[in-house]
Amino acid sequence: MGLAPQSPPPLPPTDIPPGATSSSLYVRAKNYLQSAAIDLLRSGPIPRHVGFIMDGNRRYARNAGVQTGVGHAMGSKKLEETLEWCLKLGVQVVTVYAFSIENFKRPAAEVDVIMDLASRKLEEFSTNSAFITKHSIRIKVLGDVSLLPTHVRTAAARAERSTRHHAGAVLNIACPYTSRHEMATAVALAARGVKEARLDVEDVDEELLDRLMMTGGDPQLDVLVRTSGEKRLSDFLLWQVSKSCRVHFLDVLWPDFTFWDMLPVLLAYQVHASPKQTLPSPTPSSASPSSTTQRSPAARERIDRYIQLLEREHFAET
């Protein structure tokens, strides 16, 4: 994420034919058609929560004959573009797989480039991003942040604090993350709550674990997209995807990904959406997982207090 490293300059947008410029008729026509398509899509049900496995940056760089860091920088630019049209559609939450815990096994030089990009982008989000402010986007960093270098951890904490009260939309950045770590953490938090007598044993069920996941305050995951042609989830949002989530594997590298690659995914969602998904949905700040458990008012108050305690502790630590 962030600005391209020094050396080769950033590549031009990959969906513009050779010879076309940013002021060309081609670009204006493309933008007009995209806006028209978005307006048409908004007349039907829109997924509240979309996840992206942003795969293919390294292959993109290799195919283009440039440094790997340029591929990651182009991937960061593509995230910004994708987030913009998601917001225009009315998507409430976007969760992206930026860096797996397993990715620390990659060459140190590549990891350093990614960490530097992440730090720059998070700093931009927290200081001078007109885009984040305009759309009131809350930034959340999911995963084991203790594994991040100090400067990235500091930038992540600053981005989270400065956007904490934004209520327009949510951008979850999974970095460094795996579902195994997320689920183990949720179970540990539930056990802690019982041990400290903040929760009763009977409180521990699927609904509680939903709320203790790192996406606990967000609407249920509706759509998950992986680019690059790989057909695996790579330990991403496994708990969340196990419900009524539509999964799509697209044969396009992430930096080449466009709205038109996403269009069939959105149309498929609209075709299969249940009637209740066409109703207005709550904002991310007030959304919560669907409840299947009949709890007493006392139990719900107990759980709410514990969740609030965990959030206060999180911001106290960051």
Side-chain angles (χ1 to χ4, degrees):
M1 294 178 290
L3 303 175
Q6 301 302 314
S7 291
L11 301 179
T14 56
D15 58 342
I16 299 178
T21 66
S22 59
S23 61
S24 69
L25 177 63
Y26 169 83
V27 174
R28 293 199 299 273
K30 179 175 71 72
N31 291 340
Y32 173 80
L33 289 173
Q34 178 173 307
S35 295
I38 287 174
D39 288 342
L40 185 61
L41 285 166
R42 284 178 61 91
S43 65
I46 295 296
R48 296 174 302 166
H49 186 172
V50 178
F52 292 99
I53 301 177
M54 307 182 294
D55 194 19
N57 293 342
R58 292 194 296 174
R59 202 181 315 168
Y60 175 88
R62 187 164 58 247
N63 292 346
V66 298
Q67 294 179 355
T68 301
V70 175
H72 290 303
M74 292 302 294
S76 173
K77 183 176 184 295
K78 184 58 61 177
L79 170 59
E80 295 174 9
E81 295 173 7
T82 302
L83 183 60
E84 184 164 10
W85 52 253
C86 279
L87 292 172
K88 288 179 179 178
L89 280 164
V91 175
Q92 297 175 10
V93 180
V94 174
T95 301
V96 297
Y97 206 179
F99 195 80
S100 167
I101 292 174
E102 300 299 321
N103 289 156
F104 281 114
K105 298 175 183 177
R106 291 182 179 181
E110 181 182 352
V111 173
D112 288 345
V113 167
I114 295 172
M115 292 294 106
D116 186 52
L117 289 170
S119 176
R120 294 188 204 182
K121 180 53 61 180
L122 288 165
E123 288 287 356
E124 178 186 326
F125 285 160
S126 64
T127 56
N128 60 354
S129 175
F131 180 75
I132 295 295
T133 301
K134 174 184 175 182
H135 296 282
S136 191
I137 301 170
R138 180 178 180 181
I139 303 298
K140 295 195 295 184
V141 180
L142 315 184
D144 189 354
V145 295
S146 68
L147 298 177
L148 293 171
T150 301
H151 69 293
V152 183
R153 195 162 61 246
T154 300
R158 187 176 294 118
E160 288 195 327
R161 281 198 303 269
S162 65
T163 64
R164 179 180 179 182
H165 299 295
H166 287 188
V170 172
L171 173 60
N172 292 321
I173 303 172
C175 176
Y177 170 96
T178 64
S179 283
R180 288 169 295 170
H181 171 263
E182 179 184 31
M183 288 187 275
T185 299
V187 171
L189 289 173
R192 172 194 158 184
V194 173
K195 182 179 180 180
E196 295 179 355
R198 299 181 186 277
L199 299 175
D200 289 348
V201 173
E202 293 76 15
D203 296 334
V204 181
D205 58 11
E206 180 182 340
E207 182 186 348
L208 176 66
L209 292 179
D210 262 335
R211 296 191 64 182
L212 292 176
M213 293 293 159
M214 295 172 184
T215 58
D218 301 329
Q220 180 177 307
L221 184 68
D222 293 316
V223 174
L224 177 62
V225 173
R226 179 173 187 149
T227 57
S228 86
E230 294 288 343
K231 295 179 173 60
R232 51 197 173 88
L233 297 181
S234 297
D235 208 357
F236 182 56
L237 299 182
L238 299 185
W239 176 276
Q240 294 83 346
V241 84
S242 66
K243 299 184 179 180
S244 57
C245 175
R246 301 188 61 81
V247 180
H248 296 264
F249 301 103
L250 305 185
D251 193 15
V252 58
L253 302 180
W254 175 251
D256 290 326
F257 180 68
T258 70
F259 171 79
W260 305 107
D261 295 307
M262 188 67 178
L263 181 59
V265 174
L266 295 168
L267 291 173
Y269 174 82
Q270 294 193 332
V271 168
H272 294 94
S274 64
K276 75 181 201 175
Q277 287 173 305
T278 67
L279 299 175
S281 51
T283 60
S285 60
S286 63
S288 61
S290 59
S291 173
T292 58
T293 304
Q294 296 297 320
R295 297 194 190 279
S296 67
R300 293 203 173 278
E301 182 179 355
R302 187 165 56 243
I303 292 170
D304 288 344
R305 283 200 305 267
Y306 185 53
I307 298 295
Q308 292 164 7
L309 169 68
L310 294 176
E311 183 174 9
R312 289 196 301 270
E313 289 182 347
H314 171 75
F315 282 103
E317 292 171 359
T318 59

